[in-house]
């Protein structure tokens, strides 16, 4: 590990020196576009390209056209994404179509619980055994449409199907809209009369806990 850059710094000279001194010929950029200052970062990548270094950018969050992302992708030799839909969005943002590749997330397969095991785990987590469990996972952010899940839980309960909702995640500290959105959906659950039916874990959830909550979930809603 060579620490050669500080977040929010537009000075990439130490990173450039480390890459050149170690004769790096292919740079894998694990990319969160908000971390990098433009246009300085793209100028840094362009210089590496002129030096013969191939830059491969792995991008995770592609929801719309983004000028910072476009700048990085236009300075990259190739791009890696995690699903076919993201590949199309990367290309729309300027990634070269012939060098934009899908690399799915790796996952650890877990055994599916039988009914007895599921009931025991629900009891351990303090969840009712006789109600449907509907869950949403990950950072709480507006583009995830979590209010739709809350509406679904309200609808089910109003129509005679007991159900609870679990929002298994917390505020994303890098998103200024995340905390107001969390507060808004808590108020929305209250306005729908089902605040007691929605469990807000309101924190970062470990892989082990996520596995537990997924194992007792009847329906997982990713309403992006």
């Amino acid at each position: 590990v060579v620490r050669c850059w500080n977040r929010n710094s537009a000075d990439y000279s130490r990173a450039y020196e480390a890459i050149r001194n170690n004769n790096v010929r292919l740079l894998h950029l694990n990319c969160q576009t908000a971390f990098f200052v433009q246009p300085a970062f793209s100028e840094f990548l362009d210089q590496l390209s002129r030096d013969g270094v191939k830059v491969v950018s792995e991008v995770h969050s592609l929801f719309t056209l983004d000028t910072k992302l476009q700048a990085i992708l236009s300075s990259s030799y190739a791009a890696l994404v995690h699903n076919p839909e993201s590949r199309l969005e990367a290309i729309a943002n300027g990634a070269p179509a012939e060098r934009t590749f899908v690399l799915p997330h790796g996952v650890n397969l877990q055994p599916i619980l039988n009914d007895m095991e599921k009931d025991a785990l629900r009891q351990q987590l303090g969840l009712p055994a006789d109600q449907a469990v509907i869950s949403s996972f990950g950072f709480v952010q507006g583009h995830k449409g979590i209010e739709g899940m809350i509406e679904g839980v309200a609808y089910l309960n109003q129509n005679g199907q007991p159900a609870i909702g679990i929002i298994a995640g917390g505020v994303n500290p890098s998103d200024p809209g995340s905390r107001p959105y969390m507060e808004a959906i808590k108020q929305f659950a209250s306005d729908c009369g089902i605040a007691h039916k929605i469990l807000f874990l309101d924190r970062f959830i470990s892989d082990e806990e996520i596995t537990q909550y997924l194992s007792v979930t009847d329906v997982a809603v990713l309403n992006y």
Side-chain angles (χ1 to χ4, degrees):
V1 175
V2 178
R3 299 198 177 277
C4 51
W5 171 73
N6 293 318
R7 186 173 170 180
N8 299 323
S9 169
D11 181 3
Y12 302 101
S13 58
R14 286 185 298 151
Y16 178 79
E17 290 173 6
I19 290 167
R20 301 300 291 150
N21 290 341
N22 287 280
N23 196 32
V24 172
R25 307 311 299 163
L26 188 147
L27 177 67
H28 178 198
L29 181 65
N30 193 12
C31 184
Q32 167 52 273
T33 56
F35 289 173
F36 305 115
V37 179
Q38 292 291 7
F41 189 67
S42 287
E43 293 169 355
F44 159 65
L45 297 182
D46 289 339
Q47 181 60 57
L48 290 175
S49 180
R50 288 191 293 271
D51 292 346
V53 177
K54 285 185 168 59
V55 177
V56 177
S57 292
E58 183 171 348
V59 289
H60 308 280
S61 300
L62 300 100
F63 303 116
T64 186
L65 296 179
D66 184 317
T67 54
K68 282 191 171 184
L69 179 60
Q70 290 168 6
I72 290 174
L73 290 176
S74 66
S75 298
S76 299
Y77 174 77
L80 300 177
V81 296
H82 300 309
N83 56 59
E85 295 79 12
S86 291
R87 179 177 182 274
L88 294 177
E89 291 178 331
I91 293 168
N93 273 289
E98 69 280 9
R99 294 193 300 276
T100 300
F101 306 100
V102 175
L103 183 68
H105 274 304
V107 295
N108 293 319
L109 296 180
Q110 301 294 331
I112 297 175
L113 303 184
N114 60 40
D115 289 343
M116 186 176 298
E117 292 169 329
K118 185 181 290 187
D119 287 345
L121 183 53
R122 284 194 181 189
Q123 184 176 14
Q124 177 184 327
L125 295 172
L127 303 174
D130 58 348
Q131 298 187 40
V133 176
I134 302 173
S135 301
S136 176
F137 295 87
F139 284 122
V140 174
Q141 294 174 272
H143 66 266
K144 297 188 177 181
I146 297 171
E147 66 276 10
M149 185 269 268
I150 294 172
E151 287 178 325
V153 174
Y155 177 86
L156 289 171
N157 281 283
Q158 291 162 5
N159 287 273
Q161 169 61 63
I164 64 168
I166 300 174
I167 297 174
V171 168
N172 185 335
S174 68
D175 178 359
S178 182
R179 186 169 299 282
Y181 180 65
M182 172 75 88
E183 294 170 355
I185 58 175
K186 286 181 177 180
Q187 184 60 52
F188 182 57
S190 179
D191 293 343
C192 291
I194 59 163
H196 62 297
K197 291 280 191 176
I198 304 294
L199 173 61
F200 288 88
L201 298 183
D202 211 350
R203 54 188 170 79
F204 183 80
I205 312 300
S206 69
D207 288 348
E208 180 180 357
E209 280 187 287
I210 285 291
T211 297
Q212 290 182 318
Y213 281 105
L214 277 171
S215 295
V216 299
T217 289
D218 296 299
V219 179
V221 178
L222 304 176
N223 193 30
Y224 286 37

